[in-house]
Amino acid sequence: MSEQTSYVVYFLPQKIQKRRYEVMIASAKKKGLNLVSSFSDRVTHLVTDLDKWENIEKALQEKNTNRDVTVLKSEWLSRCLKEGKFSDPINSEVLQIRPVALESQDSGKKEAIVKEYACMRKTPLKSKNPDIVSALETLSENAFFHDDEARRLAFQKAAGVIKSLNFKIKNINQVKGLHDVGKHSLEVIKDIIEEGSSIEVENIINDPWFHQMKAFQSIYGVGPSKAKKWIAQNVFTIDDLIERTDLHSSFDHRMELGISFYKDLNTQVTKQHALAIKNLIQQHLEEILPGCILVLAGGFRRGKASGHDADILLTHPIEGKEIGLLPKLLNLLSDSGLVLHGTMETGHNNPQTIMKDKGKPLASNVDHFDKWIGIMKIDKNLKDLDSSDNENDLIQLEQNSLTETSIETKKGRLSKKRSFVQTLDNNEDFARDTKKKLASNSKMSFEQLLALSSKDKQWVARRVDIIVVPVSQFFYALVGWTGNKWFNRSLRLYSQRVLGLKLTSHGLFDLNRGTSLPANSEHQVFDNLKLEYIEPTDRNC
Ligand code: 8DG
Ligand code: CA
Ligand code: CA
């Protein structure tokens, strides 16, 4: 023994047969393990047969346990004793670890250990290993362009694990055996550590096809299959798309907008500008329904300084007040000349639709809120009047208390929850009229759009998502629309596989029993999920 000179181990006697416990302690001591007879701050590793933190804390008779300890199952000790040496634990022997990754304090050779689900790990915006992350994400993106969803996911998951490491990888052994880091990813990591780059990744980066795909993909309204078709038709640049009039008949209106306003829409939105857009919307709302609460979600809430759009969640502290609000808001924004284009969805947030989610793919992000996905015309000089961020509004909302838990779907009976009251007839009429009005604004031809975008204008086109959320569903929606996408995916898979519950942006549901768990804070969402709370800035998987 022992590589584990830095380990100070305390073995909890609870739940283990007394005789077995005594034998294990005696042989571990004989083999030189630094075993202590009581728990203290010195302890680095707890060994136990208990399987829950609360039981462990009870057994230790401490509330404020030093949570920096790594908790290992007694299987680790058994294995080491059998092998005659103390080696680092393998993933299945680890019960809980904090910080997320364990870096060797001595040789730099030992493995890190990460938790199985990304939603259990802290993943900050800035990685300690940016080159490796970027390489794995390039491989993932390339797989996506080639319609290879399995490879896309595999590389994305590996990138997510590396992003969560709290140390710079110096030796490939530190990441060998890590959950979700497969053979292929390991080879790439090894090349980068040892050679400074990976030939496979370099080849992709130097491939013009990859760049064209990236450029076309970044056009609003364009997906990989359309991008591929264009490349096959010898179209290589955005200018080619404008000049090749033979292709124009195959463009839909969204593509026409995306191409015309390519420059505006592909200039990153700064956080300050996004907050200013949020405030502009808030001012308009005051005229319709005072007291609404708006929160800038998406990447900005995760700490990004800029992003491709502004994701704005909108609610009212009184449940039900939000019904029919979106068409009124859009009508007013349109009258103020702030709307260039958009798609409005309304009237689907009801128990019937939510129950249909049962059959949807596990990681599906689709929700049924009233929402507008669109492009606004924002004054170039728009400044945020007060630079208020979200947090005060969130505290105000957290004080709202929520009690109801049943989703009622029987015909003829409406849920007590006002959010599920069907949209009133006059709201439906108004929504229809507004949709018509907005659609008629969208009738501009491609030529007209190109002319509009190229003239000297005082505004910029900005992608904005406005999502209207009943307050009882707000904190689930906030988690969903804060993201990121991979964090959400992991939360949903975890919740289905481990808890047997369906997590969506509307709530956490037991769809068989027709019940849901309310939450009036993000902390409560995590509590309901039996997960340790992860700050929004640590959800950048
Ligand atoms: P960026 O805009 O800064 O580039 O990144 P982002 O803010 O992380 O990405 P996003 O594409 O704007 O998505 C924000 C979050 O919203 C993301 O975690 C996924 C989540 N989301 C939902 N529902 C939907 C939906 O219907 N469409 C999209 N695109 N995103 C959704 O919860
Ligand atoms: Ca966003
Ligand atoms: Ca968005």
Side-chain angles (χ1 to χ4, degrees):
M1 125 126 210
S2 122
E3 287 179 83
Q4 274 59 42
T5 45
S6 58
Y7 281 29
V8 180
V9 181
Y10 176 58
F11 191 4
L12 267 170
Q14 276 78 3
K15 220 183 155 191
I16 299 181
Q17 201 196 6
K18 196 169 171 232
R19 179 77 193 126
R20 185 170 130 80
Y21 179 74
E22 283 165 1
V23 169
M24 282 173 84
I25 291 265
S27 27
K29 275 191 178 160
K30 207 163 138 199
K31 292 209 160 74
L33 187 69
N34 189 1
L35 256 176
V36 291
S37 55
S38 62
F39 186 72
S40 71
D41 282 353
R42 280 179 55 227
V43 172
T44 58
H45 290 71
L46 254 185
V47 176
T48 181
D49 264 4
L50 297 170
D51 53 8
K52 286 205 178 97
W53 246 115
E54 58 208 72
N55 295 341
I56 293 168
E57 281 184 333
K58 230 184 259 165
L60 293 170
Q61 293 183 318
E62 286 197 32
K63 249 307 157 233
N64 297 315
T65 321
N66 169 12
R67 284 181 181 253
D68 274 349
V69 294
T70 298
V71 186
L72 302 176
K73 298 179 190 169
S74 66
E75 283 146 53
W76 168 74
L77 193 54
S78 305
R79 179 177 59 81
C80 293
L81 291 173
K82 209 152 116 200
E83 288 171 359
K85 65 179 172 92
F86 292 101
S87 53
D88 282 327
I90 54 174
N91 282 334
S92 63
E93 293 165 344
V94 180
L95 203 61
Q96 170 146 340
I97 184 166
R98 212 205 78 111
V100 170
L102 173 74
E103 185 181 18
S104 125
Q105 293 175 357
D106 44 19
S107 64
K109 276 188 206 141
K110 293 173 195 163
E111 289 177 6
I113 297 162
V114 294
K115 291 182 182 169
E116 184 181 354
Y117 288 92
C119 60
M120 297 171 167
R121 311 191 284 249
K122 291 182 182 174
T123 313
L125 198 55
K126 264 192 128 155
S127 162
K128 298 261 200 247
N129 299 281
D131 296 350
I132 293 173
V133 169
S134 152
L136 294 171
E137 287 189 333
T138 298
L139 288 163
S140 174
E141 193 172 23
N142 191 50
F144 173 60
F145 291 163
H146 283 98
D147 289 324
D148 191 339
E149 196 53 29
R151 261 164 95 99
R152 177 202 192 190
L153 249 169
F155 286 124
Q156 186 60 46
K157 282 201 221 164
V161 167
I162 302 301
K163 280 192 230 178
S164 75
L165 297 180
N166 60 1
F167 59 88
K168 186 154 179 64
I169 306 166
K170 295 176 199 123
N171 183 313
I172 191 69
N173 292 331
Q174 289 175 296
V175 287
K176 260 190 195 158
L178 267 192
H179 187 75
D180 277 343
V181 181
K183 202 167 147 247
H184 196 155
S185 296
L186 271 180
E187 279 165 21
V188 173
I189 298 171
K190 189 165 183 279
D191 286 347
I192 294 174
I193 299 172
E194 291 172 6
E195 319 288 334
S197 66
S198 144
I199 292 177
E200 186 184 5
V201 176
E202 290 301 302
N203 285 343
I204 295 171
I205 292 172
N206 293 324
D207 181 353
W209 182 86
F210 181 72
H211 285 278
Q212 285 148 17
M213 284 296 285
K214 259 178 107 80
F216 287 156
Q217 272 271 128
S218 66
I219 302 173
Y220 177 63
V222 177
S225 63
K226 193 80 198 169
K228 260 181 244 173
K229 248 186 219 158
W230 286 339
I231 297 172
Q233 286 171 292
N234 294 324
V235 184
F236 302 115
T237 64
I238 311 293
D239 285 340
D240 288 349
L241 284 171
I242 297 170
E243 280 155 27
R244 286 277 300 269
T245 47
D246 58 309
L247 295 171
H248 290 192
S249 63
S250 70
F251 299 167
D252 66 22
H253 193 57
R254 274 156 46 92
M255 290 174 196
E256 291 175 349
L257 279 150
I259 296 164
S260 307
F261 290 94
Y262 184 78
K263 209 168 140 230
D264 276 8
L265 295 176
N266 288 278
T267 306
Q268 291 270 296
V269 187
T270 62
K271 181 163 185 185
Q272 205 201 14
H273 215 201
L275 283 171
I277 294 170
K278 185 192 96 163
N279 281 346
L280 184 68
I281 295 171
Q282 178 116 46
Q283 285 160 24
H284 281 77
L285 274 169
E286 285 301 312
E287 289 180 32
I288 310 166
L289 178 66
C292 287
I293 289 171
L294 281 81
V295 172
L296 182 61
F300 294 115
R301 198 157 174 266
R302 301 195 311 273
K304 285 175 74 174
S306 66
H308 93 282
D309 66 354
D311 301 289
I312 297 168
L313 288 196
L314 156 51
T315 191
H316 191 283
I318 302 172
E319 181 93 0
K321 288 267 189 198
E322 80 292 341
I323 296 172
L325 187 58
L326 188 64
K328 292 187 187 125
L329 172 65
L330 261 305
N331 207 37
L332 196 59
L333 291 173
S334 170
D335 288 346
S336 301
L338 291 166
V339 174
L340 179 65
H341 161 84
T343 324
M344 186 168 71
E345 278 173 42
T346 56
H348 301 294
N349 190 1
N350 56 52
Q352 287 76 14
T353 330
I354 287 174
M355 285 303 278
K356 280 192 205 139
D357 283 341
K358 201 172 168 182
K360 294 266 167 63
L362 266 187
S364 162
N365 228 345
V366 176
D367 60 46
H368 314 291
F369 295 116
D370 284 5
K371 63 168 98 62
W372 181 76
I373 309 282
I375 303 174
M376 288 182 71
K377 292 153 76 175
I378 304 292
D379 191 319
K380 275 183 179 154
N381 300 314
L382 179 71
K383 292 264 178 330
D384 190 10
L385 295 178
D386 69 66
S387 60
S388 73
D389 212 330
N390 303 320
E391 301 311 313
N392 284 343
D393 290 338
L394 288 180
I395 291 166
Q396 191 188 325
L397 270 185
E398 285 176 6
Q399 282 152 5
N400 266 28
S401 75
L402 304 169
T403 49
E404 279 124 330
T405 56
S406 129
I407 41 172
E408 184 58 78
T409 56
K410 282 194 190 116
K411 226 180 169 179
R413 281 179 62 194
L414 291 173
S415 161
K416 272 183 275 170
K417 264 191 188 172
R418 297 202 50 203
S419 62
F420 290 147
V421 173
Q422 299 299 303
T423 311
L424 303 171
D425 282 353
N426 57 351
N427 280 334
E428 281 177 5
D429 289 345
F430 191 80
R432 206 169 27 244
D433 291 347
T434 305
K435 273 183 195 167
K436 262 192 218 153
K437 177 172 159 181
L438 294 172
S440 72
N441 288 352
S442 297
K443 282 279 151 62
M444 260 190 272
S445 69
F446 191 26
E447 286 67 32
Q448 285 169 320
L449 287 172
L450 284 168
L452 181 65
S453 64
S454 54
K455 79 174 187 200
D456 204 11
K457 54 188 179 41
Q458 270 313 299
W459 50 272
V460 277
R462 286 290 182 226
R463 273 276 297 107
V464 178
D465 292 342
I466 304 175
I467 305 97
V468 179
V469 184
V471 69
S472 63
Q473 301 169 19
F474 184 80
F475 289 98
Y476 286 101
L478 183 60
V479 170
W481 282 86
T482 296
N484 65 9
K485 183 183 161 100
W486 305 107
F487 187 82
N488 285 352
R489 182 181 185 280
S490 159
L491 271 182
R492 286 160 200 221
L493 290 177
Y494 158 84
S495 128
Q496 186 71 52
R497 289 177 185 162
V498 179
L499 307 177
L501 298 174
K502 176 98 188 170
L503 175 71
T504 73
S505 286
H506 298 276
L508 181 60
F509 300 96
D510 182 332
L511 290 176
N512 294 322
R513 294 168 56 203
T515 54
S516 68
L517 285 163
N520 55 4
S521 67
E522 268 195 327
H523 278 90
Q524 210 174 339
V525 172
F526 282 80
D527 278 354
N528 288 345
L529 287 164
K530 302 191 187 334
L531 287 173
E532 214 178 288
Y533 181 69
I534 306 283
E535 293 287 346
T537 48
D538 282 325
R539 299 179 202 162
N540 291 290
C541 315

